[in-house]
Amino acid sequence: MRYETNQRLELNDRAAELAEKFNACSAETVLETLFRDVFPGRVGIVSSFGAESGVTLHMASRIDPYIPVIFLDTRKHFPETISYRDELVEKLGLGNLQLVSPRPAVLEAEDPQGDLHASEPDRCCHVRKTIPMIQALRGIDCWITGRKRGQTAIRAALQLFEVQDRWIKVNPLFDWTAQDVQEYYHHHNLPPHPLVSHGFRSIGCAPCTRAVGKGEDARAGRWENSAKTECGIHFEKGKLVRG
């Protein structure tokens, strides 16, 4: 316990130092410096290949197309997401896509009928997302996310650098708006996710995602009719990590 406390304090200090160092830097500069100088060989991008994923992936591809890109295949994705993943990987020349999925034996034990999402969505996310993701992250010290303050009220306090368990977590687009993302896509001629044109602004697993209406948060279509707002990979010991 004492070791864990000391490790956490060290990580908090490291995150604070990095936050001060990169306070006025662009997202591209943050990524380039992290990849090449701060965490060389020990950093990865966690990408859902969702509605806005192309921004971070495009930036990374121009810095080092062989940076690990971790895609969590829950076996519940929309077919359009899998197709979009393959399209972006080819278009951007991403050479180190790492596919992660829940173990078949675990799914057989925990969700044999494939309908756990309907009765216990938190448990479903734990089985299909959290456990596989923790295993996938074992080889790195820093992971990059695409989260942004404007996505939900819960993420409004998001910071550039966070600490989660033993990792430094970085949100290079934390202060980007939806308009910023659209302009970047347009400027760099990035293909949109096929479901965006159908009103999907945040895209997760098919059973738990719907299109959103005008004026709704980008993530309002996730886990409809539920108090659930996050899948679990951005939590620490059951609590939301805010930095």
Side-chain angles (χ1 to χ4, degrees), residues 14-106:
R14 184 85 183 279
E17 291 173 2
L18 291 171
E20 183 176 359
K21 176 178 180 180
F22 291 104
N23 180 51
C25 294
S26 67
E28 292 95 331
T29 298
V30 171
L31 290 175
E32 182 171 11
T33 309
L34 290 176
F35 293 168
R36 294 180 176 174
D37 301 324
V38 183
F39 295 102
R42 301 292 296 177
V43 59
I45 298 172
V46 175
S47 180
S48 65
F49 285 84
E52 300 179 337
S53 297
V55 175
T56 305
L57 295 173
H58 178 262
M59 290 179 182
S61 72
R62 299 200 299 181
I63 299 167
D64 182 354
Y66 289 91
I67 287 293
V69 175
I70 301 169
F71 175 72
L72 183 56
D73 188 350
T74 64
R75 307 304 191 195
K76 292 289 185 179
H77 282 297
F78 289 97
E80 290 89 345
T81 295
I82 303 303
S83 297
Y84 186 58
R85 177 199 68 194
D86 296 342
E87 179 183 9
L88 274 185
V89 167
E90 181 176 358
K91 180 177 179 64
L92 301 179
L94 298 172
N96 193 4
L97 177 68
Q98 299 183 4
L99 303 180
V100 182
S101 59
R103 294 179 181 273
V106 174

Side-chain angles (χ1 to χ4, degrees), residues 196 198-202 210-222 224:
V196 169
H198 296 282
F200 289 80
R201 295 176 57 201
S202 177
R210 66 162 173 82
V212 298
K214 185 177 181 179
E216 288 187 301
D217 285 341
R219 290 174 63 84
R222 307 289 293 275
E224 188 177 21

Side-chain angles (χ1 to χ4, degrees), residues 147 162-164 169 234-236 239-243:
R147 295 183 302 158
E162 302 174 321
V163 173
Q164 180 167 334
K169 188 163 61 175
H234 296 299
F235 280 70
E236 181 177 342
K239 297 181 180 181
L240 180 63
V241 177
R242 293 202 178 193

Side-chain angles (χ1 to χ4, degrees), residues 65-177:
Y66 289 91
I67 287 293
V69 175
I70 301 169
F71 175 72
L72 183 56
D73 188 350
T74 64
R75 307 304 191 195
K76 292 289 185 179
H77 282 297
F78 289 97
E80 290 89 345
T81 295
I82 303 303
S83 297
Y84 186 58
R85 177 199 68 194
D86 296 342
E87 179 183 9
L88 274 185
V89 167
E90 181 176 358
K91 180 177 179 64
L92 301 179
L94 298 172
N96 193 4
L97 177 68
Q98 299 183 4
L99 303 180
V100 182
S101 59
R103 294 179 181 273
V106 174
L107 290 181
E108 179 61 30
E110 298 285 350
D111 190 12
Q113 304 302 319
D115 59 359
L116 185 62
H117 62 274
S119 58
E120 297 184 72
D122 282 333
R123 183 66 181 171
C124 185
C125 284
H126 182 71
V127 170
R128 293 181 179 272
K129 293 185 176 183
T130 306
I131 293 176
M133 183 57 67
I134 289 174
Q135 295 170 343
L137 295 172
R138 286 177 177 172
I140 64 177
D141 296 325
C142 171
W143 56 295
I144 311 297
T145 89
R147 295 183 302 158
K148 305 167 193 68
R149 286 177 174 174
Q151 289 173 322
T152 62
I154 287 180
R155 294 184 177 184
L158 199 65
Q159 301 297 316
L160 177 57
F161 288 93
E162 302 174 321
V163 173
Q164 180 167 334
D165 290 326
R166 69 172 188 80
W167 296 281
I168 296 286
K169 188 163 61 175
V170 189
N171 310 299
L173 308 182
F174 76 106
D175 58 352
W176 280 46
T177 65

